[in-house]
Amino acid sequence: MSCDIRIASPSAIFICAGVNVGLMASTYSLPRLIGLGPAKAMLLTGLPFNTATAQHWGLVTAVHDEDRLLDEALLLARRIASRAPLSVEASKRVADAALAMTAEQAAAMVAGELPKLHASEDHREGVRAFVERRDPVFLRR
């Protein structure tokens, strides 16, 4: 659950087993991730759930056959790594904080991030690459 993006194979099983052993786990992060109803189904029953259910609930964002899972994960990682690093970092920062903020607080946080991004060389490179119909080469500046 701590990963930014979660992918799984069709045979994966998901379980919150705390109640099975007299404990609890993920009671804060799971409801925020998949909603209160699905989270309670996992947290209170201790039952295993299949990949289709996990994907339906938003616990995983994609499902790939076992023999393609690593390749698909690396493809996704390369795609993210090829994007503007400052923008990726800012997007992650704001998204990570979003659920704990009001809309006004989120707008203020975005307003604090955008001028730095707009002034970056990476932004200029992204616009140039778009106009020139080529892939951008971001340098984290």
Side-chain angles (χ1 to χ4, degrees):
M1 284 189 317
S2 298
C3 298
D4 292 320
I5 300 171
R6 294 159 308 280
I7 64 174
S9 70
S11 63
I13 300 295
F14 300 85
I15 186 168
C16 288
V19 297
N20 296 346
V21 294
L23 298 173
M24 62 180 189
S26 306
T27 56
Y28 178 79
S29 55
L30 189 62
R32 297 170 94 64
L33 182 63
I34 65 173
L36 188 57
K40 282 186 176 181
M42 292 187 79
L43 295 168
L44 303 180
T45 67
L47 290 171
F49 290 90
N50 65 23
T51 302
T53 301
Q55 186 175 30
H56 176 73
W57 287 345
L59 189 56
V60 298
T61 55
V63 178
H64 301 286
D65 289 335
E66 287 86 352
D67 63 335
R68 294 281 316 141
L69 192 59
L70 180 57
D71 290 337
E72 293 295 335
L74 291 171
L75 186 65
L76 183 60
R78 286 185 195 104
R79 171 66 186 189
I80 294 168
S82 73
R83 302 300 86 198
L86 298 174
S87 296
V88 169
E89 292 167 5
S91 295
K92 181 176 162 105
R93 245 188 325 275
V94 174
D96 284 347
L99 292 178
M101 294 188 291
T102 65
E104 294 78 19
Q105 290 168 323
M109 189 173 184
V110 168
E113 296 282 357
L114 280 177
K116 295 178 269 188
L117 296 175
H118 190 266
S120 72
E121 177 57 35
D122 279 351
H123 170 63
R124 287 187 288 283
E125 166 60 11
V127 171
R128 275 192 307 270
F130 177 80
V131 169
E132 296 169 7
R133 297 178 189 245
R134 62 172 174 81
D135 289 335
V137 178
F138 297 114
L139 300 174
R140 194 178 165 73
R141 322 180 263 180

